[in-house]
């Protein structure tokens, strides 16, 4: 097994154990045993449980980033792309938290640790929004004076919606299809163009 495959196996096993038992109740020995690798192999890749926890968070953020990149690469209008990026971000965050069971409490309890690991992802997401807004401005879909500022604000607004979205406190009982036209109207209004939906 290659170095990267071994490392990824250890991260996957750790994520599953963290999700099932929680971070505190999972030991490095548990991870080594469950992966079928020795402790020496585990310590070759990770010096501590915190280091492997960081790797788990990074892997989860890479999944989210890959999905956002897929949306950004689609051949759709900048207006549609913005809405799809928003919904993809929120649904992937919720899926990640739900998928990780007991680990989700750790995500919220150690939010500063998560934020430290998340910084690179946040920067990449802001850059995605910059590109979409610049494209929309160039083709006349958006009336934006400062693309960088609007991208920053959009990113932090979406980030602020994560916890309420995860807990179902936004649009209680409404489907995504029912909410999209209202969200689009709000977003398009902020971007200076009329809702095209």
């Amino acid at each position: 097994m290659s170095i990267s495959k071994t490392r990824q196996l250890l991260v996957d096993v750790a994520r599953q154990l963290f999700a099932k038992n929680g971070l505190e109740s999972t030991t490095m020995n548990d991870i080594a045993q469950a992966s079928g690798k020795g402790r020496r192999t585990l310590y070759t890749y990770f010096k501590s449980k915190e280091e492997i926890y960081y790797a788990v968070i990074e892997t989860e953020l890479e999944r989210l980033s890959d999905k956002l990149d897929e949306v950004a690469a689609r051949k759709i209008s900048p207006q549609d792309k913005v809405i799809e990026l928003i919904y993809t971000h929120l649904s992937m965050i919720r899926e990640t938290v739900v998928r990780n069971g007991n680990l989700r409490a750790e995500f919220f309890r150690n939010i500063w640790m998560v934020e430290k690991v998340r910084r690179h992802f946040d920067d990449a997401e802001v850059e995605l929004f910059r590109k979409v807004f610049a494209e929309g401005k160039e083709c006349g879909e958006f009336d934006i004076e400062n693309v960088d500022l609007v991208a920053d604000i959009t990113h932090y607004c979406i980030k602020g919606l994560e916890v309420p979205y995860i807990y179902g406190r936004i649009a209680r009982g409404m489907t995504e299809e029912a909410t999209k036209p209202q969200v689009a109207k709000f977003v398009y209004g902020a971007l200076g163009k009329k809702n095209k939906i």
Side-chain angles (χ1 to χ4, degrees):
M1 191 177 271
S2 73
I3 290 173
S4 61
K5 286 184 180 177
T6 300
R7 185 183 187 282
Q8 191 56 52
L9 170 70
L10 294 169
V11 171
D12 291 342
V13 167
R15 185 198 62 77
Q16 292 170 26
L17 289 172
F18 293 157
K20 182 179 175 189
N21 306 323
L23 181 64
E24 291 301 316
S25 299
T26 302
T27 66
M28 291 290 274
N29 197 47
D30 294 335
I31 297 166
Q33 284 182 334
S35 68
K37 304 291 178 187
R39 286 173 54 88
R40 179 179 288 170
T41 300
L42 178 59
Y43 280 101
T44 298
Y45 294 97
F46 303 100
K47 293 178 180 74
S48 66
K49 186 167 61 169
E50 287 70 30
E51 196 173 298
I52 200 165
Y53 175 65
Y54 282 130
V56 167
I57 295 169
E58 285 173 347
T59 300
E60 293 299 292
L61 290 172
E62 284 170 15
R63 285 179 66 246
L64 173 54
S65 187
D66 290 347
K67 285 287 188 187
L68 292 174
D69 287 342
E70 286 175 22
V71 172
R74 287 173 53 193
K75 301 292 183 207
I76 57 177
S77 73
Q79 286 186 355
D80 291 339
K81 209 173 276 191
V82 168
I83 300 305
E84 289 305 313
L85 286 169
I86 291 169
Y87 275 90
T88 299
H89 175 114
L90 292 173
S91 63
M92 286 297 294
I93 288 286
R94 180 169 54 197
E95 177 189 312
T96 297
V97 171
V98 169
R99 182 171 98 93
N100 284 296
N102 288 328
L103 191 54
R104 68 178 154 233
E106 203 64 41
F107 284 141
F108 294 119
R109 190 169 30 254
N110 288 326
I111 196 70
W112 295 114
M113 186 188 298
V114 173
E115 285 299 308
K116 182 178 173 186
V117 177
R118 186 176 169 161
R119 193 167 298 135
H120 176 71
F121 164 78
D122 287 351
D123 291 345
E125 184 177 52
V126 169
E127 186 56 34
L128 268 182
F129 277 111
R130 278 189 190 113
K131 287 178 182 173
V132 174
F133 290 144
E135 178 188 348
K137 179 179 179 177
E138 189 176 304
C139 71
E141 280 194 29
F142 304 144
D143 182 17
I144 301 172
E145 288 180 34
N146 187 319
V147 169
D148 292 342
L149 176 62
V150 174
D152 286 339
I153 290 170
T154 302
H155 167 74
Y156 286 108
C157 285
I158 297 165
K159 196 170 172 178
L161 292 172
E162 290 173 358
V163 173
Y165 190 82
I166 289 165
Y167 285 112
R169 295 183 186 142
I170 297 176
R172 292 175 187 94
M174 291 179 72
T175 65
E176 185 175 308
E177 293 76 30
T179 63
K180 269 189 179 181
Q182 289 301 306
V183 171
K185 185 176 181 180
F186 177 80
V187 171
Y188 298 160
L191 296 173
K193 286 294 185 181
K194 290 186 177 176
N195 183 1
K196 66 176 220 170
I197 291 181

